[in-house]
Amino acid sequence: MSAKLAAGWKSGLTPRGMGVRIAEEMASEPDNAFLSRFRMELTDLCELWADLGYPTQIRRLFALQFEGGAIMHRLTIRQDRQAWRQIEGVRM
C-alpha cells in the first residue's frame, strides 16, 4: 500500500481527484507506463477501501470514479498539448 495513497484518502481527496493526480503525475509518460501505474494504484486503493470497511458496491463506485478522473484528465492534457502545438505551429 502506498503511503501517498493512504495519506491522500485521509486528507479528503476524492477517488476522482486521486485519478486526476495520477494523470498529472504521469502526463509525460507513455500509455503503457501510465496504465501500469494506474492498475497498481487502483489495486492498492481497492485494498485500502476494503480495509476501511467499505462495501463492495461502494468500492466499485469509487473505482469507477478513480478511472474517470484518471482517463478523462489524461485525455484533456493530451488535447491541450495538441492545441498548443497547433498554436505554436501557426505562430512560426
Side-chain angles (χ1 to χ4, degrees), residues 31-89:
D31 288 343
N32 286 341
F34 169 76
L35 290 173
S36 293
R37 177 140 172 229
F38 172 87
R39 188 177 310 116
M40 178 193 68
E41 290 206 14
L42 181 56
T43 300
D44 287 350
L45 281 168
C46 287
E47 289 175 14
L48 172 67
W49 297 326
D51 291 346
L52 292 173
Y54 287 100
T56 302
Q57 288 163 326
I58 296 296
R59 293 193 314 260
R60 196 172 294 138
L61 175 64
F62 286 167
L64 289 171
Q65 291 174 352
F66 176 80
E67 175 192 31
I71 301 302
M72 294 307 295
H73 196 69
R74 185 164 172 89
L75 288 173
T76 299
I77 291 169
R78 186 172 287 168
Q79 289 170 346
D80 288 350
R81 286 183 177 173
Q82 289 173 350
W84 277 108
R85 284 186 198 120
Q86 290 174 351
I87 290 169
E88 292 298 320

